[in-house]
Amino acid sequence: MNRTATAVGLLVAATLALTACSGAADDKPADPKKLDDAASLACDDFARGYKAAQTQSARVDLANKVNKWAQQSITNNIADNATALARGSEASPSAWKLGADAFAQSCLDAGWKA
């Protein structure tokens, strides 16, 4: 029992040490209320491609492009709404519109500017 507890303790300590080392170079914690680089790229791609995404195939392609960046973001609601955008891209045009509106709003809420 003690060996297991010791092993778990060492594993936790090692994980915490690795997590601490993987922080940003300036050691400032990221602010999830502000647009990070990945969110900015996702929002830019979405804005550039939204009007042209008239077919289901084009919507799926755009959602995949947006999600490539959005899933790397810690900005509030970006990853979740990009996932909803992807689901909507494979569904009806009204589902796409709902997902697109939610994603666009999350970009604006985080401070994204066109």
Side-chain angles (χ1 to χ4, degrees), residues 71-113:
Q71 297 309 315
Q72 298 175 36
S73 173
I74 65 156
T75 302
N76 290 342
N77 301 317
I78 293 292
D80 290 341
N81 285 330
T83 299
L85 179 72
R87 284 190 200 115
S89 73
E90 296 175 350
S92 67
S94 60
W96 165 254
K97 175 100 171 76
L98 287 171
D101 289 347
F103 185 76
Q105 190 61 55
S106 62
C107 290
L108 295 172
D109 290 347
W112 181 84
K113 305 240 188 287

Side-chain angles (χ1 to χ4, degrees), residues 10-100:
L10 290 173
L11 182 60
V12 169
T15 302
L16 290 173
L18 287 174
T19 303
C21 292
S22 67
D26 59 6
D27 290 327
K28 291 181 187 174
D31 184 350
K33 293 177 277 190
K34 294 184 180 175
L35 202 64
D36 61 18
D37 289 342
S40 181
L41 291 167
C43 295
D44 288 346
D45 284 346
F46 175 75
R48 277 195 291 278
Y50 179 73
K51 286 186 181 182
Q54 297 297 312
T55 65
Q56 185 176 23
S57 176
R59 291 191 292 264
V60 168
D61 288 346
L62 179 58
N64 288 337
K65 188 174 186 180
V66 167
N67 268 284
K68 180 179 112 182
W69 298 114
Q71 297 309 315
Q72 298 175 36
S73 173
I74 65 156
T75 302
N76 290 342
N77 301 317
I78 293 292
D80 290 341
N81 285 330
T83 299
L85 179 72
R87 284 190 200 115
S89 73
E90 296 175 350
S92 67
S94 60
W96 165 254
K97 175 100 171 76
L98 287 171

